[in-house]
Amino acid sequence: MKNLKFLCLIFILYSCAPSTHSPQILGSSSAWINYHSTIKDIKIGDLRIRHIRNNDSSCNKGFMDAIELDGTINNDATIVIEKILKEIKNGIGKCYRGSRPVSTTVLLSSDGGYLVEGIALGKIFRKYGVTTGLANNQKCRSACSTAFFGGKYRDMVENALLMMHSPYLDNVYSIRCASNNEARILKEYYIEMLGNDVGKLLYNRTMQYCSKSDGWELNADAAKILGILN
């Protein structure tokens, strides 16, 4: 069953222009409409992670939690995100509909980072049943897209962008494309997160791009027809 909560998020919970009362979503041109409060606003190097809460009348108790990530997907990102998700899971402010907790949404804006951390973050998302999303004008490239696929539910608006490319090692003057072991790890992850057919398709297309600046780019309609969004 699709996560109706995220559809509500995309079309109701944020607007195309920030208001005087609501912070602009990191890496996006939009702001939360039903913004309640900012729980944490964490800055580590070029990474910023913000935990916010929104009011939602569909919650019979608690608030609609969301996490915004903007910056490099690295070890700091995985550590901080898992700590916040654990706090949300064990806290008293989480939204419930009836007796069921609502999935926490994570919005991503990143040019990438380390493959191993993208996979680790994606597995954290799946562990906590997270909804991953891309809001207006957000771009999720390289290791960010790898993390995005870990969402139990995945969605994006039409003017957001996903970009994938083969893992590589940067040697300053040149790059070395993925080794057989790195390629195998990525393929297994794609299949684990997206299923056999979609995972293999995504892997085969991703591995055709080995570049610092180029990659396979998808908008929302492309991601939907390929089975990446749900």
Side-chain angles (χ1 to χ4, degrees):
M1 184 176 181
K2 290 185 177 180
N3 183 9
L4 297 180
K5 176 259 180 180
F6 189 75
L7 297 180
C8 176
L9 169 74
I10 288 294
F11 296 111
I12 298 175
L13 287 186
Y14 67 73
S15 64
C16 293
S19 71
T20 56
H21 305 291
S22 174
Q24 188 166 322
I25 296 169
L26 301 178
S28 172
S29 58
S30 297
W32 302 102
I33 288 178
N34 296 319
Y35 172 77
H36 176 270
S37 58
T38 297
I39 308 303
K40 289 182 175 65
D41 192 346
I42 298 164
K43 299 175 184 178
I44 306 175
D46 69 346
L47 177 68
R48 187 173 177 189
I49 298 173
R50 188 161 62 191
H51 173 196
I52 66 98
R53 280 184 174 160
N54 292 303
N55 295 305
D56 192 313
S57 60
S58 70
C59 302
N60 55 282
K61 66 175 181 178
F63 298 92
M64 196 72 80
D65 284 291
I67 300 171
E68 305 165 14
L69 182 150
D70 183 44
T72 303
I73 305 298
N74 56 22
N75 186 246
D76 292 329
T78 56
I79 291 172
V80 171
I81 291 289
E82 181 155 35
K83 285 183 177 294
I84 294 174
L85 287 172
K86 187 177 294 185
E87 289 177 1
I88 292 172
K89 179 182 178 181
N90 297 330
I92 61 174
K94 187 172 180 62
C95 174
Y96 277 77
R97 290 187 180 139
S99 60
R100 297 183 61 184
V102 173
S103 172
T104 300
T105 293
V106 180
L107 297 181
L108 299 164
S109 173
S110 173
D111 286 331
Y114 302 104
L115 173 64
V116 64
E117 298 301 339
I119 290 175
L121 187 55
K123 289 185 175 182
I124 289 169
F125 290 159
R126 190 59 58 95
K127 174 183 176 181
Y128 287 90
V130 160
T131 295
T132 51
L134 304 181
N136 284 315
N137 301 122
Q138 285 188 320
K139 295 177 175 59
C140 184
R141 298 184 172 100
S142 186
C144 177
S145 62
T146 306
F148 176 86
F149 300 140
K152 183 178 181 179
Y153 310 102
R154 302 170 300 276
D155 214 335
M156 59 191 287
V157 299
E158 187 54 39
N159 62 351
L161 179 74
L162 272 174
M163 189 273 274
M164 290 135 277
H165 61 66
S166 166
Y168 64 81
L169 180 64
D170 189 351
N171 292 319
V172 181
Y173 298 108
S174 64
I175 62 173
R176 177 184 63 77
C177 298
S179 67
N180 289 337
N181 186 56
E182 290 167 329
R184 176 187 58 79
I185 290 170
L186 184 63
K187 183 177 183 179
E188 290 175 352
Y189 173 80
Y190 279 175
I191 291 173
E192 178 185 357
M193 295 300 150
L194 300 169
N196 188 67
D197 292 343
V198 177
K200 286 183 177 179
L201 170 65
L202 191 64
Y203 169 77
N204 289 333
R205 295 294 288 125
T206 296
M207 295 303 289
Q208 293 180 29
Y209 295 88
C210 180
S211 169
K212 291 183 182 181
S213 58
D214 192 19
W216 190 38
E217 295 185 348
L218 304 176
N219 67 359
D221 282 344
K224 185 175 182 180
I225 200 168
L226 292 173
I228 294 170
L229 305 185
N230 56 2

Short mmCIF file of all heavy atoms in Angstrom, two decimals, residues 149 156-158 160-162 164 198 201-202 216-229:
data_model
loop_
_atom_site.label_atom_id
_atom_site.label_comp_id
_atom_site.label_asym_id
_atom_site.label_seq_id
_atom_site.Cartn_x
_atom_site.Cartn_y
_atom_site.Cartn_z
N PHE A 149 17.42 5.53 -2.62
CA PHE A 149 16.79 4.26 -2.95
C PHE A 149 16.49 3.41 -1.73
O PHE A 149 15.69 2.48 -1.80
CB PHE A 149 17.68 3.46 -3.92
CG PHE A 149 17.96 4.17 -5.21
CD1 PHE A 149 19.22 4.12 -5.79
CD2 PHE A 149 16.97 4.90 -5.84
CE1 PHE A 149 19.48 4.77 -6.98
CE2 PHE A 149 17.23 5.57 -7.03
CZ PHE A 149 18.49 5.51 -7.60
N MET A 156 9.21 12.16 -5.47
CA MET A 156 9.87 13.41 -5.81
C MET A 156 8.93 14.25 -6.66
O MET A 156 8.05 13.71 -7.33
CB MET A 156 11.18 13.15 -6.55
CG MET A 156 11.03 12.36 -7.83
SD MET A 156 12.58 11.78 -8.58
CE MET A 156 13.27 13.30 -9.23
N VAL A 157 9.10 15.56 -6.62
CA VAL A 157 8.30 16.44 -7.46
C VAL A 157 8.98 16.60 -8.82
O VAL A 157 10.15 16.25 -8.99
CB VAL A 157 8.08 17.81 -6.80
CG1 VAL A 157 7.33 17.67 -5.49
CG2 VAL A 157 9.40 18.53 -6.56
N GLU A 158 8.24 17.12 -9.78
CA GLU A 158 8.68 17.06 -11.17
C GLU A 158 9.95 17.86 -11.44
O GLU A 158 10.75 17.48 -12.30
CB GLU A 158 7.55 17.54 -12.10
CG GLU A 158 7.84 17.36 -13.57
CD GLU A 158 8.22 15.92 -13.94
OE1 GLU A 158 7.62 14.98 -13.38
OE2 GLU A 158 9.14 15.73 -14.76
N ALA A 160 12.48 18.26 -9.46
CA ALA A 160 13.64 17.73 -8.72
C ALA A 160 14.42 16.81 -9.65
O ALA A 160 13.95 16.45 -10.74
CB ALA A 160 13.16 16.97 -7.48
N LEU A 161 15.63 16.43 -9.24
CA LEU A 161 16.51 15.66 -10.12
C LEU A 161 17.26 14.59 -9.36
O LEU A 161 17.84 14.84 -8.31
CB LEU A 161 17.52 16.60 -10.79
CG LEU A 161 18.54 15.94 -11.72
CD1 LEU A 161 17.87 15.53 -13.02
CD2 LEU A 161 19.69 16.92 -12.02
N LEU A 162 17.27 13.38 -9.92
CA LEU A 162 18.11 12.29 -9.46
C LEU A 162 19.23 12.07 -10.48
O LEU A 162 18.98 12.12 -11.69
CB LEU A 162 17.31 10.99 -9.36
CG LEU A 162 16.56 10.66 -8.07
CD1 LEU A 162 15.73 9.40 -8.29
CD2 LEU A 162 17.49 10.46 -6.89
N MET A 164 22.70 9.45 -11.25
CA MET A 164 23.51 8.29 -10.86
C MET A 164 24.72 8.15 -11.79
O MET A 164 24.64 8.49 -12.96
CB MET A 164 22.67 7.01 -10.96
CG MET A 164 21.60 6.90 -9.90
SD MET A 164 20.02 6.35 -10.61
CE MET A 164 19.37 7.91 -11.21
N VAL A 198 13.95 -3.94 -11.36
CA VAL A 198 14.30 -2.52 -11.31
C VAL A 198 15.76 -2.36 -10.90
O VAL A 198 16.48 -1.52 -11.46
CB VAL A 198 13.38 -1.76 -10.34
CG1 VAL A 198 13.81 -0.29 -10.24
CG2 VAL A 198 11.92 -1.85 -10.79
N LEU A 201 18.06 -3.15 -13.89
CA LEU A 201 17.97 -2.08 -14.89
C LEU A 201 18.74 -0.86 -14.44
O LEU A 201 19.53 -0.27 -15.19
CB LEU A 201 16.50 -1.72 -15.13
CG LEU A 201 16.23 -0.46 -15.96
CD1 LEU A 201 16.74 -0.65 -17.39
CD2 LEU A 201 14.75 -0.12 -15.95
N LEU A 202 18.53 -0.47 -13.19
CA LEU A 202 19.19 0.71 -12.65
C LEU A 202 20.70 0.52 -12.63
O LEU A 202 21.46 1.43 -13.00
CB LEU A 202 18.68 0.97 -11.24
CG LEU A 202 19.04 2.30 -10.58
CD1 LEU A 202 18.43 3.45 -11.34
CD2 LEU A 202 18.59 2.32 -9.14
N TRP A 216 23.62 9.63 -15.24
CA TRP A 216 22.28 9.32 -15.74
C TRP A 216 21.28 10.12 -14.91
O TRP A 216 21.13 9.90 -13.72
CB TRP A 216 22.03 7.81 -15.59
CG TRP A 216 20.79 7.32 -16.26
CD1 TRP A 216 20.27 7.72 -17.45
CD2 TRP A 216 19.92 6.30 -15.76
NE1 TRP A 216 19.14 7.01 -17.73
CE2 TRP A 216 18.90 6.12 -16.72
CE3 TRP A 216 19.92 5.50 -14.62
CZ2 TRP A 216 17.87 5.20 -16.56
CZ3 TRP A 216 18.90 4.57 -14.46
CH2 TRP A 216 17.89 4.42 -15.42
N GLU A 217 20.63 11.09 -15.54
CA GLU A 217 19.73 12.01 -14.85
C GLU A 217 18.28 11.64 -15.09
O GLU A 217 17.88 11.35 -16.23
CB GLU A 217 19.99 13.45 -15.29
CG GLU A 217 21.36 13.97 -14.91
CD GLU A 217 21.55 15.43 -15.26
OE1 GLU A 217 20.71 15.99 -16.01
OE2 GLU A 217 22.54 16.03 -14.78
N LEU A 218 17.48 11.68 -14.03
CA LEU A 218 16.06 11.34 -14.10
C LEU A 218 15.22 12.39 -13.41
O LEU A 218 15.56 12.84 -12.31
CB LEU A 218 15.81 9.99 -13.42
CG LEU A 218 16.59 8.77 -13.89
CD1 LEU A 218 16.25 7.57 -13.02
CD2 LEU A 218 16.31 8.47 -15.35
N ASN A 219 14.10 12.77 -14.05
CA ASN A 219 13.11 13.59 -13.35
C ASN A 219 12.05 12.65 -12.76
O ASN A 219 12.17 11.43 -12.83
CB ASN A 219 12.51 14.65 -14.27
CG ASN A 219 11.65 14.04 -15.39
OD1 ASN A 219 11.51 12.82 -15.50
ND2 ASN A 219 11.10 14.89 -16.22
N ALA A 220 11.01 13.23 -12.18
CA ALA A 220 10.03 12.41 -11.47
C ALA A 220 9.29 11.45 -12.39
O ALA A 220 9.08 10.28 -12.05
CB ALA A 220 9.03 13.33 -10.76
N ASP A 221 8.88 11.91 -13.58
CA ASP A 221 8.15 11.04 -14.49
C ASP A 221 9.02 9.87 -14.95
O ASP A 221 8.54 8.74 -15.06
CB ASP A 221 7.66 11.83 -15.71
CG ASP A 221 6.43 12.67 -15.39
OD1 ASP A 221 5.80 12.41 -14.35
OD2 ASP A 221 6.11 13.58 -16.18
N ALA A 222 10.30 10.13 -15.22
CA ALA A 222 11.20 9.06 -15.63
C ALA A 222 11.40 8.06 -14.49
O ALA A 222 11.36 6.83 -14.71
CB ALA A 222 12.54 9.63 -16.05
N ALA A 223 11.62 8.56 -13.28
CA ALA A 223 11.81 7.68 -12.13
C ALA A 223 10.57 6.84 -11.84
O ALA A 223 10.66 5.67 -11.47
CB ALA A 223 12.19 8.50 -10.90
N LYS A 224 9.41 7.45 -12.08
CA LYS A 224 8.16 6.72 -11.82
C LYS A 224 7.95 5.59 -12.83
O LYS A 224 7.64 4.46 -12.45
CB LYS A 224 6.98 7.69 -11.86
CG LYS A 224 5.65 7.04 -11.49
CD LYS A 224 4.55 8.08 -11.42
CE LYS A 224 3.22 7.43 -11.00
NZ LYS A 224 2.12 8.45 -10.92
N ILE A 225 8.15 5.89 -14.12
CA ILE A 225 7.89 4.87 -15.14
C ILE A 225 8.89 3.71 -15.05
O ILE A 225 8.61 2.59 -15.45
CB ILE A 225 7.88 5.51 -16.55
CG1 ILE A 225 7.13 4.59 -17.52
CG2 ILE A 225 9.29 5.78 -17.05
CD1 ILE A 225 6.81 5.25 -18.86
N LEU A 226 10.09 4.00 -14.51
CA LEU A 226 11.10 2.96 -14.36
C LEU A 226 10.90 2.14 -13.07
O LEU A 226 11.62 1.18 -12.83
CB LEU A 226 12.50 3.58 -14.37
CG LEU A 226 12.94 4.17 -15.71
CD1 LEU A 226 14.26 4.91 -15.54
CD2 LEU A 226 13.05 3.10 -16.77
N GLY A 227 9.96 2.55 -12.23
CA GLY A 227 9.66 1.79 -11.03
C GLY A 227 10.47 2.18 -9.81
O GLY A 227 10.46 1.47 -8.80
N ILE A 228 11.17 3.32 -9.89
CA ILE A 228 11.97 3.77 -8.75
C ILE A 228 11.10 4.38 -7.66
O ILE A 228 11.35 4.22 -6.47
CB ILE A 228 13.04 4.76 -9.22
CG1 ILE A 228 14.05 4.06 -10.14
CG2 ILE A 228 13.76 5.40 -8.04
CD1 ILE A 228 15.01 4.99 -10.84
N LEU A 229 10.06 5.11 -8.07
CA LEU A 229 9.15 5.75 -7.11
C LEU A 229 8.00 4.81 -6.81
O LEU A 229 7.63 3.95 -7.61
CB LEU A 229 8.62 7.06 -7.69
CG LEU A 229 9.68 8.08 -8.16
CD1 LEU A 229 9.02 9.38 -8.60
CD2 LEU A 229 10.71 8.35 -7.07
#
